[in-house]
Amino acid sequence: MSERSLVFLVDKVKAELQEVIDLLESGEVDSEQELQWCLVGNIVGAHSYGETREVRYGNV
């Protein structure tokens, strides 16, 4: 991926996170609601996966 593409993606994520921050600060979101965010990328090493925390390698 080119540096330009990475910069674009980072800027997009920043803008989306700022929208969430603005929404939370405005009080339009009920404090009982749950927000979940997940940043997905390429995982190259061993990592736990799923509810059972199965050890996997790479993106498999």
Side-chain angles (χ1 to χ4, degrees):
M1 184 176 284
S2 71
E3 182 178 342
R4 184 176 178 182
S5 296
L6 288 173
V7 169
F8 172 77
L9 290 174
V10 168
D11 289 344
K12 185 175 180 180
V13 170
K14 282 182 182 178
E16 289 176 359
L17 288 175
Q18 188 60 52
E19 286 180 28
V20 171
I21 291 168
D22 293 343
L23 184 63
L24 291 170
E25 289 177 344
S26 72
E28 292 179 35
V29 175
D30 185 341
S31 61
E32 299 291 320
Q33 291 177 318
E34 180 179 335
L35 296 175
Q36 294 182 353
W37 284 83
C38 178
L39 182 60
V40 179
N42 290 332
I43 302 170
V44 294
H47 62 282
S48 56
Y49 177 81
E51 292 181 9
T52 61
R53 310 307 286 169
E54 172 188 346
V55 175
R56 291 196 174 178
Y57 299 89
N59 290 328
V60 180

